[in-house]
Amino acid sequence: VVSPMMTVLINVLALAAASSTPQMSIRVARATSVNVHIKSSPVFVARRTFCAGTALALLCQRPLGAVSADLEARDRGASSKTAIIQKDYYFEYGVVPPRKLEMSQIAIKQPEFNAWGSCVENACTYVPLQRRYTGYQKYASEVQLGAQTFSALRGSINSADWGPVLSAVDRGSGGENKRSPGVVTSALLKSVLLANALLISENSNDQRDALLARFYVNEAAYAAGELQRAAQAGDKDAANAAWDLGRDSWSSYFSVINRAIVPKVGERLSI
């Protein structure tokens, strides 16, 4: 759905482009990206780029403190300011992976989500067991605790017990009033390091698996932020919606990294 203001803006841009490029047309898809077609050759313009200008940014913002009505159809360029790590799959390729990624979707026939499958015969992205084992020993227990803590927040949400929710998803603060991040936030920070250890090989520059894992870490972090907003507002419906997104994001993250966790590395993780 495109807002009236966005429709007007697109019409203005189309008219301006028509004077120099008659065959140019502009199409908005699901309000998350803008596709510009010139002589049947598509040029993708990420919404974060489209919204970069001062005037355009006003159309892309949502009110400060508001809880997003649609947690998926959002400007990920804007939300990247609060991302755990900016360079993820969306940042690199401008593509939004499925909300919930199943193991069956990461097959060799789908190399866009599978760096391992793109060169499986020569094992160019093989990550040594020792590297995976060391990373697992450092970070896995805290990551698992964070996921379990997040999962348990459903009960607190349904009983409107907002204290444990706010504590778990607290992002912490620095300065004189330094405050450590909550259990969930701390686990998300460690999730990036765990994915790096499990998925990035010194033998290859192909980091698609790690970028994909980071995308779901950022989705889980965004969900935690929305859950914090909802808890502060005492909004159970919004809190449950954010929790659902967070659960799917954690689950997808584990689908990505668990392929690298063989018995000699440790037990696979879950939410």
Side-chain angles (χ1 to χ4, degrees):
V1 178
V2 182
S3 68
M5 290 184 68
M6 186 67 78
T7 301
V8 171
L9 176 61
I10 291 169
N11 289 336
V12 171
L13 290 173
L15 288 173
S19 61
S20 57
T21 313
Q23 298 182 45
M24 175 180 284
S25 63
I26 298 178
R27 175 172 60 85
V28 172
R30 202 176 175 232
T32 59
S33 64
V34 177
N35 288 339
V36 181
H37 295 272
I38 304 176
K39 296 183 180 179
S40 301
S41 299
V43 178
F44 179 80
V45 181
R47 191 170 189 264
R48 64 174 178 266
T49 303
F50 182 74
C51 295
T54 303
L56 296 180
L58 296 176
L59 297 176
C60 301
Q61 292 175 353
R62 65 185 174 92
L64 183 63
V67 177
S68 176
D70 188 338
L71 300 182
E72 291 179 85
R74 70 181 193 274
D75 176 16
R76 285 174 171 78
S79 62
S80 68
K81 296 177 181 178
T82 57
I84 295 294
I85 182 169
Q86 189 175 42
K87 187 179 179 182
D88 64 3
Y89 196 90
Y90 175 76
F91 180 88
E92 193 74 10
Y93 300 111
V95 175
V96 178
R99 167 168 168 157
K100 188 172 183 180
L101 189 69
E102 304 290 350
M103 288 288 286
S104 60
Q105 292 175 284
I106 318 176
I108 292 176
K109 64 182 180 180
Q110 293 180 316
E112 67 270 24
F113 291 152
N114 183 13
W116 289 9
S118 65
C119 52
V120 67
E121 291 184 0
N122 62 13
C124 69
T125 56
Y126 176 76
V127 181
L129 277 175
Q130 185 60 52
R131 174 180 168 83
R132 283 182 273 167
Y133 176 82
T134 300
Y136 185 94
Q137 292 298 312
K138 282 184 178 180
Y139 309 120
S141 60
E142 187 170 350
V143 170
Q144 183 65 82
L145 176 61
Q148 291 175 341
T149 299
F150 184 87
S151 180
L153 294 181
R154 174 73 99 181
S156 297
I157 294 169
N158 290 334
S159 62
D161 184 9
W162 302 117
V165 177
L166 292 170
S167 175
V169 300
D170 189 350
R171 293 184 72 94
S173 64
E176 295 181 0
N177 299 317
K178 186 176 181 180
R179 187 175 69 256
S180 299
V183 174
V184 172
T185 303
S186 181
L188 288 169
L189 295 168
K190 298 300 190 299
S191 294
V192 175
L193 300 175
L194 177 60
N196 289 348
L198 294 172
L199 303 174
I200 295 180
S201 168
E202 296 178 354
N203 300 321
S204 173
N205 291 324
D206 195 331
Q207 297 184 6
R208 274 174 290 180
D209 296 74
L211 292 172
L212 188 59
R214 291 173 186 176
F215 172 81
Y216 288 114
V217 170
N218 284 335
E219 291 291 285
Y222 175 78
E226 292 298 297
L227 179 53
Q228 182 182 45
R229 291 172 183 267
Q232 290 169 341
D235 188 335
K236 289 175 65 173
D237 290 340
N240 275 311
W243 185 91
D244 286 340
L245 175 61
R247 174 202 55 197
D248 290 345
S249 301
W250 275 104
S251 177
S252 299
Y253 168 79
F254 289 140
S255 290
V256 177
I257 69 165
N258 274 340
R259 294 176 303 141
I261 303 175
V262 296
K264 289 185 178 180
V265 173
E267 294 185 4
R268 290 186 168 185
L269 309 182
S270 63
I271 184 169

